[in-house]
Amino acid sequence: MLEILRDRFRARVQVSLTRAGLSLPWWGALCASAVSFVFTAVALVQRDALLPPEPMALVGLIVIAPSVIWVATDWIMPWVRMTALITAASVLLIEPVLPDFAPLLLLVAATEAGSVLRTTWGIAVVTVAGELVLVVGGIWGGLVGGPVYMVAILLGLSGGLMVRWYTRVLDAERDNRDASRDKALLAERQRIAREVHDVVGHSLSITLLHLTGARHALQQDRDVDEAIEALTEAEQVGRAAMADIRRTVGLLADKPSGNAPLPGVEDIATLVERTRAAGLDVRYTQEGDLGRVGASDGLGLYRIVQESLVNVVKHAPGANAEVRLNAGRPGVKLIVSNTLSGTVRRTAEDGSGLAGMAVRAAQLGADLEAGPQGRQWIVEVTVPGTKP
């Protein structure tokens, strides 16, 4: 029960500080209030036989009232509290004692002013008012050690300003951390969006090729077996695509959605074979040691080939395509080419395919060149410095 009350009180204090625009921890405000209460209590005990009960009761009420109002109404009044501390110290210094705790209330006021007040003139007013109270107390009240107390007020002000500076630094660091986190989340979402785009685009293109083959088999050849085979291939492509999408989207979840690895450079041959089976005339040649290609590079190259073949299906139907991969010691070179017509040259750059490939190439630190060369459209990717 006590822990629940403590947590509620702490939350309320922190909310009220935030609402007042004070970047302070909840315990800092409570400690400042507690210290002022202790200094006031000691100063009152020191003057038990020197002051009448009325001014002593007034001093206690002045110091406690702002905190009571804060707790009761959830309303923080920095100016009122500092004024109360200065007023209480002024009343107590009518009868100075040795040593005297009353001037320490001025130290607390200066510290709070340096840490919470937003204007320079406000901080200056509180500090100068405290120093003037000490000067008057030394001249007319006989306060001993006035210069020491005056230096103490300046030290308190310095401490408050340091608290303000550290608080601002922490706030800036927190804002930078939040901005970095948001940027990382955005980058991750964009990466996953590219993965889903490539998977969906490729699977739909291959599925449509199979469906077109099935339709032709039924309409023209009346070949049910060929149509069933094409539909079966389309179903397998769809199921594989769904599994790939689940695995990719699973990166957004708290728990992994499966243990299946993402595709790599070794899977390019399967990708080309699946595309050929769907009806696209595509050849694949591979040279070198694929073991030199890292996992991240392999995934990027696989996606580039996937997007390139999708572009061939969309923009150059009936074209011949070729995929060449050379994994050598200096690096990896990937070339995807296809024949094209004049109309395709004007439309091949439509959509986000080339932009997605450019982003993937940049992530790999690779050079990407894409465009028409004679009667062909060439996509060439060079990845330097691959892993041995």
Side-chain angles (χ1 to χ4, degrees):
M1 185 64 181
L2 292 177
E3 293 181 357
I4 296 176
L5 294 176
R6 181 195 62 190
D7 293 341
R8 289 181 178 177
F9 179 74
R10 180 173 61 185
R12 181 174 181 180
V13 171
Q14 193 63 61
V15 168
S16 62
L17 288 170
T18 303
R19 186 182 303 164
L22 302 180
S23 300
L24 293 174
W26 68 274
W27 50 266
L30 292 183
C31 288
S33 298
V35 168
S36 64
F37 294 160
V38 171
F39 288 165
T40 303
V42 175
L44 290 175
V45 171
Q46 290 177 325
R47 292 164 174 78
D48 186 29
L50 299 177
L51 289 177
E54 291 80 5
M56 295 182 65
L58 178 62
V59 167
L61 180 61
I62 290 175
V63 174
I64 295 175
S67 299
V68 173
I69 296 174
W70 175 24
V71 175
T73 64
D74 201 18
W75 180 33
I76 298 179
M77 303 169 292
W79 269 106
V80 174
R81 173 171 166 76
M82 295 169 199
T83 303
L85 293 176
I86 295 174
T87 303
S90 302
V91 175
L92 292 173
L93 289 178
I94 295 175
E95 292 290 344
V97 296
L98 187 66
D100 203 336
F101 272 69
L104 297 182
L105 295 177
L106 303 175
L107 183 151
V108 174
T111 303
E112 292 187 3
S115 59
V116 304
L117 292 184
R118 302 180 181 179
T119 59
T120 303
W121 67 267
I123 298 174
V125 167
V126 174
T127 304
V128 171
E131 300 286 8
L132 289 177
V133 169
L134 292 177
V135 171
V136 173
I139 296 176
W140 282 284
L143 175 65
V144 178
V148 176
Y149 290 123
M150 295 176 71
V151 172
I153 289 178
L154 296 179
L155 291 176
L157 174 62
S158 300
L161 293 175
M162 290 180 63
V163 170
R164 175 196 294 268
W165 184 81
Y166 278 115
T167 301
R168 289 182 175 179
V169 169
L170 290 175
D171 289 342
E173 182 180 356
R174 188 180 299 112
D175 292 340
N176 290 335
R177 186 174 64 248
D178 293 341
S180 299
R181 181 189 60 191
D182 294 340
K183 185 177 180 180
L185 288 175
L186 178 60
E188 181 66 10
R189 290 179 182 276
Q190 291 176 341
R191 185 182 71 83
I192 294 175
R194 287 192 296 270
E195 294 287 337
V196 174
H197 170 270
D198 292 346
V199 172
V200 172
H202 174 76
S203 61
L204 286 179
S205 298
I206 302 303
T207 300
L208 288 175
L209 285 177
H210 283 300
L211 293 178
T212 300
R215 180 171 58 82
H216 287 169
L218 292 175
Q219 286 181 341
Q220 298 177 4
D221 302 331
R222 304 296 180 180
D223 190 342
V224 177
D225 293 336
E226 183 179 351
I228 292 177
E229 181 180 355
L231 292 175
T232 302
E233 289 290 337
E235 180 183 6
Q236 292 177 354
V237 171
R239 291 184 183 277
M242 286 299 298
D244 204 355
I245 291 173
R246 290 194 186 98
R247 185 166 58 250
T248 304
V249 177
L251 298 175
L252 292 172
D254 296 333
K255 297 181 180 180
S257 59
N259 297 322
L262 291 172
V265 67
E266 298 85 358
D267 300 304
I268 293 179
T270 304
L271 174 65
V272 173
E273 182 62 31
R274 186 183 303 163
T275 307
R276 183 188 303 115
L280 178 65
D281 186 6
V282 55
R283 292 179 299 167
Y284 176 60
T285 57
Q286 180 260 315
E287 298 178 359
D289 183 11
L290 296 183
R292 298 179 181 274
V293 184
S296 59
D297 292 345
L299 175 61
L301 293 172
Y302 178 92
R303 295 304 189 199
I304 291 175
V305 173
Q306 190 177 51
E307 181 63 32
S308 299
L309 295 179
V310 169
N311 287 341
V312 174
V313 173
K314 290 193 300 183
H315 302 296
N320 299 325
E322 182 179 4
V323 178
R324 288 173 286 171
L325 179 66
N326 188 341
R329 186 176 297 274
V332 178
K333 176 170 285 189
L334 170 69
I335 299 177
V336 182
S337 60
N338 66 275
T339 58
L340 77 169
S341 62
T343 57
V344 176
R345 292 186 184 185
R346 293 193 297 269
T347 61
E349 295 186 359
D350 296 342
S352 59
L354 287 181
M357 285 190 283
V359 172
R360 291 189 181 279
Q363 291 174 341
L364 301 178
D367 296 326
L368 172 69
E369 295 182 4
Q373 295 183 15
R375 301 292 298 175
Q376 286 191 325
W377 181 275
I378 306 292
V379 175
E380 182 175 338
V381 182
T382 303
V383 184
T386 52
K387 299 178 181 179

